[in-house]
Amino acid sequence: MKSITRQEWYGALVAVIVLGVLLTFASPYFLTTGNLSNILVQASVIALLAGGQTFVILTGGVDLAVGALTALAGAVAGHMMIKMGIDPYLAMLMALAIGAAVGVFNGYLVAFVGIPAFIVTLGGLTLWRGLAFDMTGGFDNAGLPDPLPFIGYGDVLGVPMPTLITGIFFVVMAFILSSTKIGRYVYAMGSNEMGARQVGINIRWYKLGVYVISGLCCALAAIVLMARMDSSSGKMAQMFELDAIAAVILGGTSLFGGRGSYCVNVRQSNGASTIALLDTSTLSSRN
């Protein structure tokens, strides 16, 4: 118990439990399978964005443009499917390519040029959403073809697809962070960047890599979001960057980097409810 109470996420966990108990007494419909499943589905997009944001924040950086990049990737993919008749799978691959390309752009400016991450991504907050509006003419693209409806509303063995995608995503990302070289280097860079450089870690390339991961997570979130909405536009994911950052911090990751685990507290964008997803292992920072 003592080790649990010392964790950064302990306070948020207690708050979630208290809130859950109060809502259970307040409404007979809160603690039901259908409602809890709906909360997980609604929280899935923020969870995907927070997953990529975790890597960035662990290095001591921040990505303020995740919402705008989600809008850009989703708007372009939807425009390709509806207006241009391109195969949905190719359009989704294009969304992932856009996410990766923007991640490379952000990472290059931060790691190689030396511009602070706050400035780079704050500029992207306006730039990427502006491009989304420009490329789509400001119009929504509704009525997305298969397999988007299945991704948004289908299920596998009773588990909704957005929840299943998020669950698999967290397992993969937790493994990367806890059991691979890039995960260990992310902690090292966040804990002591100078020390990490002195022991031979190529700081620049690994820092660029975490922004690529964040960009890919934005593209995946865009696919899930437009599948849920059955449409795409430049207005998607407005202010989601604040929810994603809040989720990472409430989940126990230090805003100053180097400390935290793949433990995320995901808040719905309307602030109506909160759900905590806690990992089963404690990850320690390594120099």
Side-chain angles (χ1 to χ4, degrees), residues 115-141:
I115 303 175
F118 182 88
I119 301 300
V120 171
T121 57
L122 183 62
L125 183 66
T126 302
L127 174 61
W128 310 131
R129 193 172 295 278
L131 282 176
F133 279 116
D134 182 66
M135 297 180 72
T136 60
F139 295 101
D140 294 359
N141 293 295

Side-chain angles (χ1 to χ4, degrees), residues 213-249:
I213 290 173
S214 179
L216 289 172
C217 291
C218 291
L220 181 59
I223 293 170
V224 174
L225 181 57
M226 65 180 181
R228 289 285 302 160
M229 298 168 54
D230 193 29
S231 66
S232 67
S233 73
K235 299 187 294 290
M236 293 169 55
Q238 293 191 64
M239 304 302 291
F240 276 26
E241 54 276 349
L242 299 182
D243 285 336
I245 294 171
V248 174
I249 303 306

Side-chain angles (χ1 to χ4, degrees), residues 38-63:
N38 184 56
I39 291 174
L40 286 172
V41 169
Q42 295 297 326
S44 59
V45 174
I46 299 296
L48 294 171
L49 294 178
Q53 188 78 248
T54 298
F55 276 78
V56 177
I57 291 179
L58 279 172
T59 63
V62 67
D63 190 347

Side-chain angles (χ1 to χ4, degrees), residues 4 6 12 19 37 44-45 50 55 80 107 111 116 128 134 142 149 155 157 176 194 196 208 214 231 235 279:
I4 293 177
R6 285 195 293 265
L19 180 60
S37 176
S44 59
V45 174
F55 276 78
M80 291 173 65
W128 310 131
D134 182 66
D155 65 80
L157 301 177
I176 293 173
M194 182 62 70
L208 184 148
S214 179
S231 66
K235 299 187 294 290
D279 65 337

Side-chain angles (χ1 to χ4, degrees), residues 25-278:
F25 283 108
S27 171
Y29 305 106
F30 176 75
L31 198 62
T32 61
T33 302
N35 185 57
L36 295 179
S37 176
N38 184 56
I39 291 174
L40 286 172
V41 169
Q42 295 297 326
S44 59
V45 174
I46 299 296
L48 294 171
L49 294 178
Q53 188 78 248
T54 298
F55 276 78
V56 177
I57 291 179
L58 279 172
T59 63
V62 67
D63 190 347
L64 298 175
V66 293
L69 178 53
T70 299
L72 176 62
V76 172
H79 184 78
M80 291 173 65
M81 285 184 257
I82 301 299
K83 301 299 184 183
M84 303 174 66
I86 293 177
D87 183 83
Y89 292 99
L90 290 178
M92 287 188 283
L93 285 176
M94 177 58 69
L96 293 171
I98 290 172
V102 172
V104 170
F105 177 79
N106 290 340
Y108 177 80
L109 292 180
V110 173
F112 288 86
V113 180
I115 303 175
F118 182 88
I119 301 300
V120 171
T121 57
L122 183 62
L125 183 66
T126 302
L127 174 61
W128 310 131
R129 193 172 295 278
L131 282 176
F133 279 116
D134 182 66
M135 297 180 72
T136 60
F139 295 101
D140 294 359
N141 293 295
L144 300 176
D146 291 330
L148 273 303
F150 177 72
I151 294 175
Y153 294 96
D155 65 80
V156 175
L157 301 177
V159 180
M161 280 300 295
T163 303
L164 182 62
I165 291 171
T166 304
I168 295 173
F169 167 84
F170 268 89
V171 170
V172 172
M173 298 295 272
F175 173 79
I176 293 173
L177 195 57
S178 63
S179 304
T180 65
K181 182 168 67 175
I182 187 172
R184 293 192 295 272
Y185 288 178
V186 163
Y187 280 110
M189 288 187 293
S191 298
N192 187 342
E193 184 172 320
M194 182 62 70
R197 182 180 291 107
Q198 289 176 346
V199 299
I201 298 176
N202 194 327
I203 298 295
R204 290 180 173 179
W205 285 104
Y206 282 100
K207 188 172 289 188
L208 184 148
V210 300
Y211 286 93
V212 173
I213 290 173
S214 179
L216 289 172
C217 291
C218 291
L220 181 59
I223 293 170
V224 174
L225 181 57
M226 65 180 181
R228 289 285 302 160
M229 298 168 54
D230 193 29
S231 66
S232 67
S233 73
K235 299 187 294 290
M236 293 169 55
Q238 293 191 64
M239 304 302 291
F240 276 26
E241 54 276 349
L242 299 182
D243 285 336
I245 294 171
V248 174
I249 303 306
L250 289 174
T253 300
S254 172
L255 185 60
F256 303 102
R259 190 174 73 252
S261 64
Y262 225 92
C263 161
V264 60
N265 180 295
V266 180
R267 184 182 64 180
Q268 289 189 33
S269 59
N270 59 10
S273 60
T274 306
I275 180 166
L277 305 176
L278 304 178

